Amino acid sequence: MTPRRVVLSAVGLVAAAFFAFPVYWMVSSALKPTNQMQSTGFDLVPTSLTGQHFLSAVDKPGFGDALVNSLVVTLVAVLFSLVAGLLAAIPLARLRFRGRKGFLLLVLVAQMAPFEALLIPMYLMMRDADLLDKMPALVLVYFAATLPFTAWTLRGFVQGIPAELEEAAMVDGCNRWGAFRRVTLPLLGPGLVATSVFGFITAWNEFLFALVLFQDQSKRTLPVWLSTFQTAFGTDWGGTMAASTLFTLPVVVFFLIVQRNMVAGVTAGAVKG
């Protein structure tokens, strides 16, 4: 192994440890007994383990409703974003029309704008549309949040697929829709996975809009439910860490399952522009 590779490997290990330590601390704290969590010493490795915090988190009122609400809102918003993003990405990648570059610039601007700046306009729009405390309001917000990134990433991926493949399928007897469905759509699989993962993470972790748009406690999502561990009497750190671990677990598992396709999709979406 060359010295350069050794240095790069060491830097990579340090970076991995730096980013993995907060996750390790969250999980280890969730497994510590309450008296050990409140001690003044620094215990990198727990001396004893308990699952009581996880049981308390699951039994806490509202966990089931919050879990279902988060799953429904996130999955529906990501699905709509994938469909609309794909419909926008194909003409942006394949066609040349007047105003195309300006439209792409608008997509980038929409992606770069701080989403919190839209809180008041979004709230007023949902209030006037009588959508407060209703799930479609949050679906629309998350759809708007994930659509620019989805369209931009899928555009790069579509550009990486030669148009000649569709033309060859049409020569062989397919119509335009059949050529797209049989040739292009299967090759878009990694790109769809990549954008769905990032869209899922964005919608799954969102807190502010879910807090403002929903006053009904039965409609709150998991990020809002996590805030209930902090009360006027203090913070239940064991329950917070256990609930945060449960909240993170579905995203981590999904990421590990689709990791290869996600890397391929991100790479293809980045090299074309």
Side-chain angles (χ1 to χ4, degrees):
M1 183 178 291
T2 62
R4 181 174 180 273
R5 184 176 292 273
V6 172
V7 172
L8 291 177
S9 299
V11 172
L13 289 175
V14 171
F18 177 79
F19 289 107
F21 180 76
V23 178
Y24 165 77
W25 190 252
M26 177 183 67
V27 176
S28 64
S29 298
L31 295 172
K32 291 179 181 179
T34 302
N35 58 351
Q36 189 174 349
M37 288 189 64
Q38 296 176 349
S39 64
T40 57
F42 180 77
D43 299 323
L44 185 61
V45 180
T47 57
S48 59
L49 303 177
T50 179
Q52 184 60 41
H53 298 310
F54 288 95
L55 296 177
S56 300
V58 173
D59 291 337
K60 190 175 179 64
F63 172 74
D65 291 337
L67 177 61
V68 172
N69 293 338
S70 288
L71 286 174
V72 171
V73 170
T74 301
L75 291 177
V76 173
V78 171
L79 178 61
F80 285 175
S81 179
L82 284 177
V83 174
L86 182 59
L87 293 176
I90 293 174
L92 289 174
R94 294 285 194 237
L95 304 180
R96 298 294 181 268
F97 52 88
R98 186 182 299 274
R100 174 175 169 271
K101 292 184 178 180
F103 182 80
L104 290 174
L105 180 61
L106 288 177
V107 172
L108 283 179
V109 171
Q111 182 64 34
M112 293 185 295
F115 203 58
E116 290 75 10
L118 302 177
L119 179 61
I120 295 177
M122 284 284 192
Y123 177 84
L124 296 177
M125 289 174 58
M126 297 305 171
R127 184 198 63 185
D128 295 341
D130 194 25
L131 288 177
L132 294 179
D133 277 331
K134 297 180 181 178
M135 288 299 175
L138 212 54
V139 171
L140 291 174
V141 169
Y142 293 167
F143 169 74
T146 56
L147 181 59
F149 173 82
T150 301
W152 183 266
T153 304
L154 287 179
R155 168 185 171 268
F157 200 83
V158 171
Q159 283 185 321
I161 302 175
E164 290 77 8
L165 295 177
E166 292 185 20
E167 295 172 358
M170 294 174 66
V171 170
D172 290 338
C174 290
N175 55 26
R176 185 171 294 277
W177 163 247
F180 172 78
R181 181 174 59 87
R182 296 174 182 272
V183 177
T184 304
L185 188 59
L187 296 176
L188 284 174
L192 293 173
V193 169
T195 52
S196 65
V197 168
F198 283 108
F200 185 91
I201 293 174
T202 299
W204 183 260
N205 292 332
E206 202 283 322
F207 170 79
L208 186 58
F209 279 87
L211 177 66
V212 173
L213 296 180
F214 288 154
Q215 300 299 321
D216 187 350
Q217 297 298 313
S218 64
K219 301 293 182 63
R220 60 188 175 186
T221 57
L222 278 178
V224 180
W225 173 79
L226 281 173
S227 66
T228 61
F229 287 89
Q230 184 176 5
T231 65
F233 302 99
T235 301
D236 180 7
W237 291 112
T240 300
M241 293 299 179
S244 299
T245 302
L246 295 174
F247 174 73
T248 307
L249 192 60
V251 179
V252 174
V253 172
F254 185 51
F255 174 82
L256 293 176
I257 293 175
V258 302
Q259 180 181 8
R260 291 186 178 181
N261 286 335
M262 194 191 74
V263 172
V266 171
T267 303
V271 298
K272 294 289 184 179

